[in-house]
């Protein structure tokens, strides 16, 4: 599209205009798709029609990695360059790309770790790519790799395609919602509280308490939001659920809305997850046509509808308040808390925001009943849990187990152990924001309480495995690059600390550590941990600090 | 009036109205908590984190400029953890921007024993000075991203919205729409941004010319 032709843009803006600023990200996505970038006259029109000050339009374009003010080549390809893909050969792949006429973005973890090395070409996810000519059919189309002791959360997954509404209902889907619509909302909340469900997005907050807080809060409107912004390196569980069992997530969201009295919901999906976005959008359309959404949900007097939104390339927008800012059409700066979302959330209104996996648990709890649900897992960590196993194991993939099995069981019995001819060096637990485990931790049970006692964060369920041949300094550098790239820049400890941490690790990885480097790294790390505004900065040094404790010699300088 | 809450700050009993920040409650009790980004007439966004204090029971340190007092709260403003964070933030700031015209920050560096050379080989933010209008210059090599100029230009005062951010993270800069020269923006040259800038990054053009010896 020549950028002088603004008519297709006007057609889009006409539809979005009534939403005002809240439509800024959708408008910028449309412009980026139409013109391949967002030139000045286009940005000007968007600001004028949506009534957003021009300087702020500029600020929003610049915040999100998927928007660009500069033109790019026709073929844009995103190559994951985080630890697991790097170990599987993404660097070699990148080298061959430089000789072809494509625009290459080195992307943060694309959430395809079980298919490493992974890329996205023109919206298509491709795994196990090898150096060669770039087409949409390079490598393989990733198919979900599932395993585990149970298949409750993943009961409709593993087919390689989305479960349609009719299939979902034939397998007992939406029965939980039908039941819920006959109960008073506080009884639904009581059930969720009794189940002991805690959030699976990383912060492990009790879901029932969160719902109760929002139900009791006063506000002229209330919202529910599904956090599908999954971008923690090593995490791919939410992608698999959204791609293959969209109604399982949607049903959970509708139940949450009924419980707190919300009439509008948002599904916010990571910008790089094209397939999950399309799948969820289709599911919402199916649900609307089937009467599961709309002015009268399944014939009841409860009205609820959902809007599906795309993120635009910012890991920090997984942080709940930054995600609200993104929906509101702003830069994804996390807000100061308190106040918390249950009283002051999206558009300042009481809001429940839950992770995809959390919401998938909801219909399960209501169909199984609390007692059967709690018979899985441990007393303090009831229920099933998804783990994203990647790296140097025989069978990387998504594993569903009851809480309480050991790390050894997950790695050896389920994932087939360390790849042939190698031995375990380290496991990064919980994601880039996690900590390292070693051989001595293998018999720790996978539950919130056991992991906490062992000093390991459960995080988003990441289990990234490294054998003895891997250079941990290189792994740490990649994690540090990720955080430096993703820091929003709002607060000083993280804005500057992620940059300094990366610079020091660059020196260490290159074998040129200074005598002062270990102490500087530790100080920067603790300052970010103690003084940063949001969870990103507070955990940006977590893996580094754990490595400093476990392997001080890695950091020795001259 | 609401009944005041009772708390302790550095073991001193303090009483303050609910809704008072720890920073203000301490100030009223004669305890100085340092600040950098905070400004009495701007919305506080808790950016610099130099005001962090230890609050009993809190996992992380707490920014005193935005955190409210609470009944029975126990606050410590000079613990080792607090001092390490403050010193380190100052050192990181000094490794990033030109603080030569920020006397308050320089005084804090002295007070906390911060070493400006702590990070050898550190990347600085050093963009060229912008001299694009008759009223003021913008020298972002001195900008500490306190957001005050952006805020007074927007809803904290003037509602002109001429400036906002470019890029993100460490590389964030203050910018106009597509870097247009200031006269081609909504700027009305009210000068409020220059007035609140704490580091000399924004300066009246006349003062700047005088410094350069280009004006008598
Ligand atoms: C930097 C950062 C990134 C996050 N990313 C995600 C994410 O991708 N998905 C998610 O569900 N939660 C993420 N969270 C946690 C959310 O802030 C929030 O706690 C969560 O969505 C709440 O849902 P839950 O209670 O169901 O876990 C992130 C937090 C931080 C600090
Ligand atoms: S910790 Fe990092 S990501 Fe979070 S607000 Fe501060 S700068 Fe932004
Ligand atoms: S230019 Fe001055 S007022 Fe504006 S953000 Fe930078 S330091 Fe603060
Ligand atoms: S003064 Fe409190 S964060 Fe800057």
């Amino acid at each position: 599209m020549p950028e002088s032709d603004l008519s297709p843009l006007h057609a889009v803006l006409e539809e979005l205009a009534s939403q005002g600023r809240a439509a800024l990200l959708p408008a910028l996505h449309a412009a980026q798709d139409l013109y391949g970038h967002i030139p000045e006259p286009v940005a000007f029109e968007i600001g004028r029609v949506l009534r957003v000050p021009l300087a702020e339009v500029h600020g929003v374009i610049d915040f999100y990695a998927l928007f660009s003010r500069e033109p790019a080549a026709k073929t844009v390809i995103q190559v994951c360059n985080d630890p697991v893909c790097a170990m599987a050969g993404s660097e070699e792949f990148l080298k061959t790309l430089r000789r072809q006429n494509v625009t290459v973005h080195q992307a943060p973890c694309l959430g395809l770790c079980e298919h490493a090395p992974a890329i996205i070409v023109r919206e298509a996810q491709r795994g196990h790519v090898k150096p060669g000519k770039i087409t949409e059919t390079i490598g393989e189309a990733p198919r979900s790799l599932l395993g585990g002791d149970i298949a409750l959360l993943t009961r409709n997954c593993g087919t390689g395609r989305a479960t349609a509404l009719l299939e979902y209902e034939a397998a007992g889907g939406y029965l939980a919602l039908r039941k819920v619509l006959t109960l008073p909302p506080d009884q639904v909340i009581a059930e969720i509280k009794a189940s002991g469900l805690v959030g699976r997005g990383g912060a492990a907050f009790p879901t029932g308490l969160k719902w109760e807080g929002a139900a009791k809060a006063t506000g002229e409107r209330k919202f529910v939001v599904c956090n599908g912004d999954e971008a923690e390196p090593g995490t791919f569980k939410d992608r698999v659920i959204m791609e293959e069992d969209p109604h399982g997530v949607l049903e959970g969201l509708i139940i949450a809305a009924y419980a707190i009295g919300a009439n509008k919901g948002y599904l916010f999906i990571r910008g790089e997850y094209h397939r999950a976005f399309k799948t969820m959008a289709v599911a919402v359309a199916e649900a609307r046509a089937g009467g599961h959404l709309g002015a009268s949900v399944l014939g009841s007097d409860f009205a609820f509808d959902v809007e599906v939104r795309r993120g635009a390339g910012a890991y920090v927008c997984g942080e709940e308040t930054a995600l609200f800012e993104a929906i509101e059409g702003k830069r994804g700066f996390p807000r100061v808390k308190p106040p918390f979302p249950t009283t002051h959330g999206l558009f300042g209104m009481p809001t429940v925001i839950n992770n995809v996996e959390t919401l998938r648990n909801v219909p399960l709890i209501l169909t199984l009943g609390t007692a059967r649900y709690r018979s899985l897992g441990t007393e303090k960590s009831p229920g099933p849990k998804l783990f994203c196993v990647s790296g140097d194991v025989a069978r990387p993939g998504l594993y569903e187990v009851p809480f309480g099995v050991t790390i050894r069981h997950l790695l050896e019995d389920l994932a087939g152990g360390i790849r042939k001819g190698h031995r375990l060096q380290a496991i990064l637990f919980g994601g880039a924001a996690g900590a390292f485990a070693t051989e001595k931790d293998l018999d720790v049970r996978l539950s919130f309480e056991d992991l906490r006692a062992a000093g390991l964060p459960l995080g988003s369920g990441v289990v990234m495995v490294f054998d003895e041949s891997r250079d941990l300094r290189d792994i740490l550098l990649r994690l540090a690059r990720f955080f430096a790239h993703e820091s929003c820049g709002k607060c000083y400890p993280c804005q500057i600390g992620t940059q300094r941490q990366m610079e020091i690790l660059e020196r260490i990885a290159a074998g040129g550590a200074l005598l002062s480097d270990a102490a500087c790294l530790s100080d920067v790390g603790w300052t970010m941990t103690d003084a940063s505004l949001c969870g990103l900065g507070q955990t940006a040094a977590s893996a580094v600090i754990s490595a400093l404790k476990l392997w001080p010699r890695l950091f020795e300088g001259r | 009036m609401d009944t005041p809450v009772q708390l302790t700050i550095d073991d001193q009993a303090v009483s303050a109205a609910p809704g008072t920040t720890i920073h203000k409650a301490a100030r009223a009790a004669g305890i100085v908590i340092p600040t950098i980004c905070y400004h009495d007439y701007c919305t506080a966004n808790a950016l610099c984190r130099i005001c962090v204090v230890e609050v009993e029971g809190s996992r992380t340190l707490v920014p005193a400029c935005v955190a409210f007092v609470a009944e029975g709260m126990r606050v410590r403003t000079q613990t080792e953890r607090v001092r390490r964070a403050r010193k380190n933030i100052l050192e990181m700031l000094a490794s990033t921007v030109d603080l030569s015209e920020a006397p308050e920050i320089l005084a804090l560096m002295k007070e906390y024993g911060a070493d400006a050379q702590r990070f050898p080989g550190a990347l600085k933010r050093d963009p060229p000075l912008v001299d694009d209008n008759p009223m003021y210059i913008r020298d972002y090599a001195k900008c500490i991203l306190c957001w005050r100029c952006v805020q007074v230009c927007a809803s904290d005062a003037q509602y002109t919205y001429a400036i906002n951010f470019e890029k993100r993270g460490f590389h964030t800069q203050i910018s106009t729409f597509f870097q247009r020269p200031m006269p081609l923006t909504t700027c009305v040259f009210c000068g409020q941004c220059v007035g609140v800038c704490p580091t000399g990054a924004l300066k009246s053009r006349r003062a700047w010319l005088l410094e350069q010896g280009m004006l008598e």
Side-chain angles (χ1 to χ4, degrees):
Chain A
M1 188 70 52
E3 49 182 272
S4 51
D5 182 3
L6 293 179
S7 51
L9 177 73
H10 281 135
V12 173
L13 288 178
E14 201 167 309
E15 247 177 67
L16 295 174
S18 65
Q19 283 195 57
R21 182 164 194 159
L24 185 53
L25 262 63
L28 291 172
H29 267 306
Q32 179 80 35
D33 289 347
L34 282 169
Y35 304 100
H37 72 299
I38 304 172
E40 186 171 336
V42 169
F44 182 93
E45 273 310 286
I46 291 175
R48 188 182 65 79
V49 176
L50 300 182
R51 302 186 178 281
V52 182
L54 292 181
E56 294 190 5
V57 175
H58 180 94
V60 170
I61 295 171
D62 265 44
F63 190 85
Y64 296 96
L66 299 184
F67 300 144
S68 168
R69 290 185 282 114
E70 308 297 331
K74 188 149 177 281
T75 305
V76 175
I77 114 159
Q78 291 168 286
V79 181
C80 176
N81 207 16
D82 272 341
V84 173
C85 282
M87 297 192 306
S90 65
E91 293 280 358
E92 292 69 40
F93 181 75
L94 272 169
K95 277 184 203 136
T96 64
L97 285 178
R98 303 236 157 82
R99 285 181 255 117
Q100 307 185 35
N101 186 24
V102 291
T103 298
V104 181
H105 293 304
Q106 291 198 33
C109 177
L110 293 171
L112 293 162
C113 325
E114 77 278 43
H115 309 286
I119 63 169
I120 295 180
V121 203
R122 299 219 189 106
E123 305 199 355
Q125 300 167 334
R126 309 300 297 181
H128 298 130
V129 294
K130 297 204 173 59
K133 194 168 172 334
I134 296 303
T135 63
E136 275 101 327
T137 56
I138 190 172
E140 301 160 12
R143 275 201 62 151
S144 55
L145 300 167
L146 295 184
D149 298 325
I150 48 175
L152 295 167
L153 301 170
T154 52
R155 69 204 302 168
N156 298 324
C157 301
T159 57
R161 59 182 179 78
T163 308
L165 175 61
L166 286 177
E167 276 175 281
Y168 181 71
E169 291 206 292
Y174 286 113
L175 283 180
L177 175 61
R178 286 175 200 278
K179 176 175 144 194
V180 158
L181 291 172
T182 66
L183 302 173
D186 55 354
Q187 202 171 323
V188 180
I189 294 175
E191 286 244 9
I192 298 299
K193 276 171 93 173
S195 75
L197 176 64
V198 303
R200 308 290 200 241
F205 191 84
T207 306
L209 268 185
K210 188 185 275 190
W211 291 16
E212 188 173 60
K216 286 191 175 146
T218 48
E220 56 194 85
R221 286 175 300 161
K222 292 183 185 179
F223 296 101
V224 287
V225 178
C226 169
N227 189 340
D229 200 39
E230 182 171 80
E232 179 72 34
T235 317
F236 46 86
K237 63 187 180 76
D238 297 343
R239 175 181 58 75
V240 172
I241 304 181
M242 289 189 287
E243 287 178 351
E244 303 199 339
D245 192 15
H247 287 284
V249 184
L250 191 54
E251 186 176 5
L253 189 68
I254 303 173
I255 294 172
Y258 178 78
I260 72 156
N263 301 115
K264 170 100 196 238
Y266 288 86
L267 272 153
F268 190 90
I269 299 171
R270 178 175 182 194
E272 289 84 349
Y273 280 4
H274 300 280
R275 191 168 149 211
F277 175 75
K278 285 176 198 147
T279 309
M280 289 303 318
V282 168
V284 165
E286 281 180 315
R288 244 180 236 141
H292 302 66
L293 290 174
S296 157
V297 172
L298 292 174
S300 68
D301 52 13
F302 168 54
F304 180 64
D305 210 343
V306 172
E307 192 174 327
V308 191
R309 284 293 189 98
R310 279 185 72 194
Y315 164 66
V316 73
C317 287
E319 197 281 337
E320 51 198 17
T321 60
L323 190 151
F324 300 152
E325 297 281 302
I327 294 179
E328 292 176 18
K330 301 175 189 157
R331 284 170 70 91
F333 286 133
R335 301 175 185 164
V336 171
K337 289 189 273 193
F340 294 100
T342 44
T343 56
H344 298 74
L346 185 59
F347 301 111
M349 296 294 154
T351 304
V352 156
I353 177 165
N354 275 129
N355 170 258
V356 168
E357 185 188 349
T358 313
L359 290 172
R360 184 65 191 86
N361 271 272
V362 167
L364 187 67
I365 291 166
L366 292 153
T367 37
L368 284 182
T370 301
R372 275 185 64 204
Y373 180 84
R374 290 199 74 114
S375 70
L376 293 162
T378 69
E379 172 62 27
K380 289 194 182 121
S381 306
K385 177 74 193 105
L386 298 175
F387 287 95
C388 312
V389 182
S390 63
D392 297 324
V393 288
R395 290 190 297 273
L398 184 63
Y399 292 91
E400 180 171 353
V401 293
F403 271 114
V405 302
T406 62
I407 303 178
R408 188 185 298 283
H409 174 66
L410 178 65
L411 289 190
E412 294 178 1
D413 305 337
L414 298 176
I418 305 301
R419 65 180 178 142
K420 233 183 160 128
H422 291 273
R423 30 189 189 78
L424 175 67
Q425 178 178 200
I427 308 166
L428 182 59
F429 235 88
F436 286 102
T438 59
E439 187 81 37
K440 70 171 181 3
D441 300 307
L442 283 180
D443 293 310
V444 172
R445 298 194 315 160
L446 292 163
S447 73
F448 288 106
E449 60 278 16
D450 292 271
L451 287 168
R452 192 174 307 123
L456 296 171
L458 184 79
S460 48
V462 170
V463 180
M464 206 186 274
V465 181
F466 307 103
D467 69 30
E468 86 298 338
S469 71
R470 306 302 184 182
D471 179 0
L472 291 178
R473 283 174 285 213
D474 182 65
I475 307 293
L476 288 168
L477 173 57
R478 285 174 196 278
L479 300 179
R481 266 194 213 138
F482 169 78
F483 285 114
H485 186 258
E486 298 301 330
S487 167
C488 81
K490 179 170 180 174
C491 73
Y492 296 12
C494 168
Q495 172 209 109
I496 312 180
T498 52
Q499 171 73 21
R500 297 291 169 257
Q501 171 172 275
M502 175 178 75
E503 291 167 353
I504 297 171
L505 284 165
E506 269 167 357
R507 225 166 16 232
I508 290 173
L514 304 175
L515 266 179
S516 56
D517 277 346
C520 276
L521 203 53
S522 164
D523 259 7
V524 169
W526 281 112
T527 299
M528 285 198 280
T529 307
D530 271 347
S532 291
L533 188 150
C534 87
L536 190 151
Q538 287 164 12
T539 56
S542 164
V544 174
I545 289 174
S546 99
L548 274 165
K549 272 188 213 143
L550 284 167
W551 308 288
R553 293 194 44 202
L554 285 180
F555 305 88
E556 266 169 24
R558 283 164 294 158
Chain B
M1 236 198 97
D2 291 330
T3 36
V5 298
Q6 310 297 328
L7 65 155
T8 69
I9 304 181
D10 295 338
D11 292 326
Q12 184 178 327
V14 171
S15 134
T20 310
T21 62
I22 297 175
H23 171 244
K24 285 203 172 124
R27 187 156 69 182
I31 297 168
V32 179
I33 297 174
T35 57
I36 291 179
C37 66
Y38 180 80
H39 186 284
D40 272 330
Y41 299 111
C42 294
T43 308
N45 283 309
L47 310 172
C48 74
R49 320 298 282 185
I50 210 75
C51 67
V52 288
V53 294
E54 230 174 300
V55 172
E56 213 172 270
S58 169
R59 182 174 50 87
T60 56
L61 300 176
V62 171
C65 69
V66 292
F68 296 125
V69 295
E71 185 61 40
M73 193 181 236
R74 295 160 70 90
V75 180
R76 301 193 165 274
T77 72
Q78 290 290 345
T79 64
E80 224 170 282
R81 248 174 107 198
V82 166
R83 292 190 67 95
R84 172 178 63 189
R86 289 188 189 152
K87 169 171 175 285
N88 210 240
I89 291 167
L90 291 164
E91 289 170 340
M92 292 201 292
L93 209 47
S95 71
T96 304
V97 291
D98 170 7
L99 295 174
S100 60
E101 295 182 43
E104 286 152 4
I105 301 178
L106 292 175
L108 280 175
M109 291 197 59
K110 214 173 205 173
E111 185 183 339
Y112 284 86
D115 173 7
Q117 308 303 323
R118 182 87 196 275
F119 298 98
L123 183 69
K124 283 186 102 72
R125 285 197 294 255
D126 199 13
L129 181 142
V130 192
D131 175 17
D132 66 359
N133 71 78
M135 305 299 289
Y136 59 93
I137 57 98
R138 299 180 284 148
D139 181 7
Y140 292 129
K142 297 193 175 80
C143 172
I144 58 168
L145 296 173
C146 71
W147 294 15
R148 290 180 189 174
C149 56
V150 175
Q151 289 178 230
V152 293
C153 188
S155 54
D156 270 358
Q158 197 63 31
Y159 290 89
T160 33
Y161 301 96
I163 46 177
N164 198 259
F165 305 98
E166 184 154 302
K167 303 200 183 133
R168 72 180 182 203
F170 180 82
H171 301 282
T172 310
Q173 294 278 279
I174 308 298
S175 174
T176 58
F177 178 66
F178 280 73
Q179 294 160 343
R180 285 183 180 175
M182 208 47 92
L184 298 184
T185 71
T186 47
C187 176
V188 293
F189 299 99
C190 67
Q192 302 212 52
C193 56
V194 179
V196 292
C197 180
T199 61
L202 304 179
K203 193 181 280 180
S204 96
R205 190 159 185 278
R206 196 184 144 74
W208 176 68
L209 287 174
L210 276 170
E211 281 167 23
Q212 306 297 306
M214 292 194 260
L215 264 191
E216 292 303 307

